[in-house]
Every structure is written in structure tokens, then in C-alpha cells.
Amino acid sequence: MAEVTKTVDPKIAEKYTNGDGHISLEEYEMDMEFKRKELEDADAMRDAQRKMAWFALFGMLLYPFAVVLAVGVGLTEASKILGSMASVYFVSVAAIVAAFFGAQAMGKGKK
């Protein structure tokens, strides 16, 4: 009977951790769990970034209403302070949103 030659994909061969040249079920499951955790972490990061971008966009929309509300209530000093902060606020929030969308575009470009 002829001897069967067994070959292993080099990427799979890297999975064994104890150096015995054999990929045990434990080593395989450990690698699969690592990949699963990696995917979960990436998904959680995307969710957090998406929530942050939406929060920033809603803040940009609600900021002018805060100024109008301060004027309507009669808080003239507060409306002046909010008005003077607006330029820095809008630039900062726009940078956050731009970074989010830029990262999304770069991520899609890699695929």
C-alpha cells in the first residue's frame, strides 16, 4: 500500500503553539475563539464609532436651538457665551464626523 502524503496549509501550520508539529483540537479551537473575539471587537468598535458620529451630528443640530432658547429665556450672557463657542464647537464636531466617514471610506477601499 502506498504511503499517503499529508500536506498542511502554511497558515494553518502556524496555529500550533506547543511546537510538536501537530495541530490539536484544543489549538484549533483556541484559534477559532481568537478569531471570533476579534470579529466581535471589530463589530463593537464600529458600533461605538457610529453612535459617536450620530451623537455629534445631533449635537450640531441642537446647538443653535440652545442659543435661541437662551435668548428666549432671557439669558443674554449665556447666549453670548454659546455664540462665541460655536465656531470652535462646529469645527471640532465636523472633524469628528469627517474622521468617522474617512475611516469608513478607507476601510471599504481596502476590501
Side-chain angles (χ1 to χ4, degrees):
M1 187 170 188
E3 186 175 315
V4 177
T5 303
K6 296 180 182 179
T7 60
V8 176
D9 186 332
K11 289 193 177 215
I12 294 176
E14 294 172 359
K15 307 295 182 214
Y16 74 92
T17 56
N18 57 6
D20 65 356
H22 175 73
I23 301 167
S24 67
L25 181 60
E26 180 183 334
E27 290 167 330
Y28 175 76
E29 288 175 350
M30 186 172 58
D31 183 61
M32 292 305 289
E33 181 65 24
F34 175 75
K35 286 181 181 179
R36 192 174 300 115
K37 292 284 187 190
E38 196 174 65
L39 288 172
E40 288 174 0
D41 289 346
D43 188 45
M45 182 186 71
R46 284 190 304 270
D47 288 344
Q49 287 175 335
R50 188 178 307 112
K51 287 177 185 175
M52 179 189 63
W54 279 109
F55 185 79
L57 286 172
F58 283 126
M60 285 181 77
L61 292 173
L62 294 175
Y63 192 88
F65 292 113
V67 176
V68 171
L69 181 66
V71 170
V73 174
L75 302 172
T76 57
E77 191 64 30
S79 65
K80 288 178 187 176
I81 292 171
L82 285 171
S84 65
M85 288 177 20
S87 60
V88 175
Y89 177 77
F90 282 111
V91 170
S92 301
V93 171
I96 291 170
V97 173
F100 169 73
F101 285 112
Q104 294 298 311
M106 285 177 46
K108 288 182 181 178
K110 290 181 182 179
K111 293 179 184 177

